[in-house]
Amino acid sequence: MTSLGDKGEGHRETTTKVLNQGSWTQVSCPCCVSEQVEPLVLIQLSDNIQPVTKRWLISLIEVSERDGGAALLAHPGEDECGDVIVVSAPRCTLLRATEDLGLCKKYHNGDMVAFSYNDRDNFSNVDDMQEFLTLAERQYIVKYELDFLRAQKEQKIPGVPESQGVLKARENICQKLEKVGVIKDIFPLHDKQRLTDLCRNWYSGKQIWGQPLDSIQAYFGGTMGFYFSFLDFYTWALVPPAILGLVLTFLLPGGGSGGGVVKEQAGVMEGVVEVDDSPSVSGHMVQAVFSMLWSTLVMEFWKRRSSSLSHHWGLLHLAERFAEPRPGFHGTLGINPVTGRLEPLFPEWQRQLRVGLVSVPLVGFFLGMVVLGMTGFYHGEALAQGFHQESGSLFSGALLYLPSVAHIIYTNMLGNVYRTVAMQLTEWENHREESSFQNHHTTKVLLFTFFNYFAVLFHIAFYKQDLPLLRKRLASLLIVTQLVNQCTEVVVPFIVDRFFSAPQKKQQEDDPNVDKLRAQRSLPTFPGLFAEYIELLVQFGYLSLFSCVYPLTAVLLLLNNVTEIRADAYKICKLFRKPFSAPVSNIGVWQTAFEVLGFLSVMSNCWLLLLSPRVREFCLEGGISGRNIILFAILVEHVLILVKMILAFMIPDEPDWVRIKREQIEFHSMQALGQSGKLH
């Protein structure tokens, strides 16, 4: 059982008073016996749950792993007829899972070392689980053990009709119980005192910069820790381009003055008398080159920052591929050749075949539908404008809005269909690890979202070649997006929390303790960080791909992100149910997405520079032909790509001290494995 002593992060007496300690299931291991048990996870059962079904589930939760159970601790709530089960974990289960997950912990000499159960006595704080493991880690381990509860043989679920309640051998038990309606939900429990302390240190103070990243990671897990660390890092990284944008816009000669726009006819540059308020030639070049180099340096330095955090949080040595398959994985029962365990097996070549022959073509089809919708929008807009010019009636004026409305409806419907298809495709691909499943699903949705956000801007920039329109469109997108974000992420959450407060805020001290735990279920499920990362990715795209057209991009993004940090913190702490968080060592597939945008920024900025009216005018005055301009742009593009590659090569992905620590961890693990082999 997890000890709740006086010392350690977040040890609170209030936690131990939530439930009657005498009703917890008992443990046989002497080292796990404790007077106080920490409630970690709540299982919400069906309202009409049969007592025999609840007793059967509790017995499965408490039975040892070799007997087909989860080796956890269970509390029946008010009574055995109630609709909740509260779950905790004994010390030995936590320690064994720590080794299975590949978590690194502090050794007796102060180094971070991959935890080994056989060598547990040499690790610091190993007798105090609240010091040894974070709250997020303890709660995830409970979910980890529950997720991998599998039937040892075919059996009937007590209290469930036989037509629905038959468990096949090696079938995932919790997944089956959710399917037949026995389990409604499983979620980690908030610790009120810890959460209050975190809120006070995170967003309730007057500080603008800096976040308690260690406390965030300890309470919400590595997924949240890395997101808020990246958000903080990226916001700081916006300062240099914001300063440059202000200088180019307000201080550089010609930055705000008019100039002649130049159009090209039959390959010949001609002067035209339209007004252009874009930066000067030198301003364009400085902003373009800076954006390309900035996007590279930001991601290279972030990788170093990420590896440092990964070591600090003990996440350098994760071993997900050796763990049990994720609950949705299926295949032919057999012996895993690596672990020697009996589990479903699915050939890797079949998965690759499904991805290459089905998933990729289907994703391409939907991307084509996005382009088709955009083409239809422009065609419909041209038809509506032509009809309005001919008739000039009120009806024709109203028809001008029809293409936009139709395009919005089309895009939303296509997006809803695509999200469903993307999830089904990823399930059908049958990935063994949860991280692999999430990465493939995220990649599919990410490609579609990228097309939705940037296709119109690329069309304006490189097909219409209308840079003034691109500048206006980019400015309006940034301003409108910022206003909408501030409303949805600051104003609306404040109103909801102030006037439509969550149920637990209204609870009195004499309310039943289990009701306080159950009330957390009334909060909406946290939707995940996909929308938050998409927002940052779109920002990064606006800045790295198009900022040479609108230098104030970084200024607007910086203003938005200063409040974004607190708004996101407020939402996750107050407005949503606490999510589970699996151990992760970085931001995953999102890092690749940002790097791809950084690579595309080279081509985008080079050709935007070529299309710039001031640059064309400058070339016209210098007597440079259009063909030579294109050849020069291609040369510059390749040189800058080479510079990006050299920079990425010269800046190591991890600091030397992290590399040395990682190699030490690998060496220590190899030694521990050798010693274990000698003992056997």
Side-chain angles (χ1 to χ4, degrees):
M1 299 186 185
T2 53
S3 171
L4 296 175
D6 296 330
K7 60 181 182 178
E9 171 256 327
H11 287 208
R12 305 289 182 230
E13 187 180 357
T14 55
T15 308
T16 68
K17 294 181 178 179
V18 174
L19 296 168
N20 179 9
Q21 296 294 309
S23 298
W24 288 97
T25 53
Q26 300 301 307
V27 293
S28 57
C29 179
C31 68
C32 297
V33 175
S34 174
E35 295 180 358
Q36 298 175 338
V37 181
E38 176 189 30
L40 293 174
V41 171
L42 187 138
I43 301 177
Q44 181 70 48
L45 304 172
S46 169
D47 296 335
N48 56 355
I49 182 76
Q50 297 295 317
V52 64
T53 308
K54 184 175 179 179
R55 287 195 299 270
W56 172 79
L57 180 56
I58 289 177
S59 68
L60 276 178
I61 292 173
E62 69 171 326
V63 166
S64 65
E65 291 183 5
R66 67 171 173 266
D67 294 327
L72 297 171
L73 301 171
H75 191 290
E78 304 97 324
D79 53 63
E80 67 173 23
C81 298
D83 60 353
V84 299
I85 299 175
V86 184
V87 186
S88 185
R91 175 177 177 271
C92 285
T93 299
L94 291 172
L95 294 180
R96 292 185 189 279
T98 301
E99 181 180 26
D100 291 343
L101 294 172
L103 298 177
C104 295
K105 294 299 173 182
K106 190 171 290 187
Y107 209 55
H108 63 78
N109 61 3
D111 292 337
M112 296 296 286
V113 175
F115 179 75
S116 170
Y117 183 80
N118 292 331
D119 192 29
R120 58 189 179 278
D121 293 333
N122 288 317
F123 284 83
S124 301
N125 301 313
V126 75
D127 292 324
D128 186 351
M129 289 297 98
Q130 293 209 357
E131 282 284 352
F132 187 72
L133 293 168
T134 67
L135 176 62
E137 287 170 344
R138 298 194 298 274
Q139 290 177 325
Y140 178 75
I141 286 173
V142 172
K143 180 180 184 295
Y144 174 83
E145 298 295 343
L146 291 174
D147 279 346
F148 297 128
L149 266 177
R150 295 182 181 273
Q152 290 189 313
K153 60 182 180 180
E154 184 171 315
Q155 59 182 293
K156 182 181 177 300
I157 302 173
V160 177
E162 190 168 350
S163 58
Q164 296 179 320
V166 177
L167 274 168
K168 298 178 182 177
R170 298 298 298 167
E171 186 174 5
N172 187 281
I173 294 175
C174 286
Q175 197 174 40
K176 177 69 174 181
L177 293 178
E178 289 176 355
K179 189 179 297 184
V180 300
V182 172
I183 294 179
K184 296 172 70 174
D185 214 342
I186 302 176
F187 59 92
L189 293 167
H190 271 300
D191 184 300
K192 185 177 180 182
Q193 187 58 53
R194 283 192 182 98
L195 183 61
T196 301
D197 293 343
L198 177 60
C199 294
R200 182 171 56 251
N201 296 327
W202 195 357
Y203 65 83
S204 298
K206 297 181 179 179
Q207 74 277 7
I208 297 178
W209 301 102
Q211 300 181 82
L213 294 177
D214 288 345
S215 298
I216 296 169
Q217 189 271 339
Y219 191 83
F220 286 108
T223 305
M224 293 293 175
F226 276 108
Y227 166 72
F228 282 101
S229 178
F230 180 73
L231 177 57
D232 186 74
F233 179 88
Y234 170 66
T235 302
W236 273 102
L238 288 173
V239 174
I243 294 173
L244 178 64
L246 290 171
V247 170
L248 293 179
T249 304
F250 299 109
L251 299 181
L252 192 69
S257 60
V261 175
V262 177
K263 292 184 178 180
E264 186 177 357
Q265 295 180 353
V268 181
M269 301 290 188
E270 295 182 347
V272 186
V273 294
E274 295 181 18
V275 176
D276 175 31
D277 59 352
S278 64
S280 63
V281 175
S282 59
H284 267 300
M285 296 181 67
V286 169
Q287 182 69 52
V289 174
F290 179 86
S291 295
M292 290 180 276
L293 297 179
W294 175 86
S295 62
T296 301
L297 292 174
V298 165
M299 292 315 301
E300 291 303 317
F301 283 113
W302 162 250
K303 284 190 279 188
R304 292 172 63 85
R305 169 68 171 159
S306 176
S307 65
S308 300
L309 289 173
S310 183
H311 170 266
H312 178 62
W313 292 336
L315 303 170
L316 268 182
H317 195 256
L318 299 180
E320 184 187 19
R321 61 197 178 98
F322 300 127
E324 286 272 345
R326 69 182 189 87
F329 179 73
H330 55 84
T332 305
L333 279 180
I335 302 297
N336 187 310
V338 178
T339 63
R341 290 193 295 255
L342 179 67
E343 63 179 51
L345 301 178
F346 188 77
E348 183 66 24
W349 65 267
Q350 287 190 25
R351 182 180 302 110
Q352 299 295 345
L353 208 62
R354 292 182 177 188
V355 172
L357 297 183
V358 179
S359 296
V360 172
L362 270 176
V363 171
F365 169 76
F366 275 94
L367 297 183
M369 295 296 289
V370 174
V371 176
L372 182 64
M374 184 181 66
T375 305
F377 163 69
Y378 282 118
H379 182 67
E381 190 178 44
L383 290 177
Q385 287 177 350
F387 180 71
H388 181 62
Q389 288 176 356
E390 290 179 1
S391 64
S393 64
L394 190 63
F395 174 72
S396 63
L399 284 180
L400 291 174
Y401 296 96
L402 184 60
S404 295
V405 174
H407 185 247
I408 291 172
I409 295 174
Y410 172 83
T411 303
N412 288 336
M413 291 177 62
L414 187 65
N416 291 333
V417 173
Y418 179 80
R419 279 188 288 273
T420 302
V421 171
M423 177 59 73
Q424 292 177 348
L425 276 177
T426 312
E427 288 281 3
W428 181 68
E429 290 166 4
N430 199 27
H431 298 276
R432 184 184 185 278
E433 291 85 23
E434 184 65 28
S435 62
S436 176
F437 176 86
Q438 294 297 337
N439 286 343
H440 279 78
H441 178 248
T442 300
T443 301
K444 292 181 183 69
V445 182
L446 184 59
L447 284 171
F448 183 84
T449 308
F450 177 84
F451 262 68
N452 262 350
Y453 276 104
F454 292 107
V456 173
L457 294 178
F458 276 109
H459 182 269
I460 295 172
F462 301 113
Y463 182 76
K464 287 189 171 183
Q465 298 186 9
D466 191 342
L467 295 195
L469 177 60
L470 177 63
R471 187 177 307 111
K472 292 175 183 176
R473 183 65 178 260
L474 188 60
S476 62
L477 279 173
L478 289 168
I479 294 171
V480 170
T481 301
Q482 185 169 340
L483 291 174
V484 170
N485 283 345
Q486 295 306 310
C487 180
T488 57
E489 298 191 8
V490 180
V491 179
V492 173
F494 175 78
I495 292 174
V496 170
D497 191 51
R498 184 68 180 268
F499 299 104
F500 304 95
S501 54
Q504 64 264 32
K505 283 190 170 185
K506 299 179 181 179
Q507 293 170 357
Q508 303 297 322
E509 289 298 324
D510 56 351
D511 282 347
N513 289 322
V514 176
D515 285 345
K516 293 183 180 181
L517 299 181
R518 189 191 287 107
Q520 294 186 29
R521 185 176 181 269
S522 62
L523 292 172
T525 303
F526 183 70
L529 293 171
F530 187 87
E532 313 301 333
Y533 273 118
I534 280 290
E535 183 181 346
L536 294 182
L537 188 69
V538 171
Q539 286 187 11
F540 190 81
Y542 287 157
L543 182 56
S544 60
L545 298 175
F546 304 110
S547 64
C548 70
V549 176
Y550 189 62
L552 291 178
T553 300
V555 178
L556 296 176
L557 296 181
L558 180 61
L559 293 174
N560 178 79
N561 284 8
V562 168
T563 56
E564 175 86 10
I565 293 175
R566 290 194 173 196
D568 285 349
Y570 180 81
K571 285 191 303 182
I572 189 175
C573 288
K574 294 292 186 181
L575 303 183
F576 293 104
R577 193 187 308 166
K578 186 181 180 185
F580 285 107
S581 179
V584 294
S585 57
N586 49 50
I587 61 175
V589 71
W590 296 103
Q591 187 162 296
T592 304
F594 280 94
E595 290 182 288
V596 169
L597 279 185
F599 183 82
L600 292 177
S601 71
V602 176
M603 294 176 279
S604 174
N605 281 283
C606 281
W607 293 103
L608 285 175
L609 193 61
L610 175 66
L611 296 173
S612 167
R614 289 186 181 276
V615 172
R616 289 193 171 193
E617 185 180 16
F618 177 78
C619 294
L620 179 66
E621 293 172 355
I624 304 174
S625 67
R627 179 183 178 184
N628 288 337
I629 293 175
I630 294 175
L631 291 175
F632 179 72
I634 293 174
L635 176 63
V636 171
E637 176 189 274
H638 284 68
V639 169
L640 288 172
I641 289 176
L642 181 62
V643 171
K644 282 178 70 72
M645 293 174 65
I646 292 173
L647 280 174
F649 176 77
M650 290 176 59
I651 303 174
D653 289 351
E654 56 186 18
D656 284 342
W657 69 269
V658 174
R659 177 183 57 80
I660 293 171
K661 293 293 185 183
R662 177 174 52 77
E663 292 174 354
Q664 287 176 346
I665 290 171
E666 293 172 355
F667 179 72
H668 185 276
S669 299
M670 185 176 63
Q671 281 188 318
L673 185 62
Q675 292 174 359
S676 176
K678 290 179 181 179
L679 292 174
H680 292 289

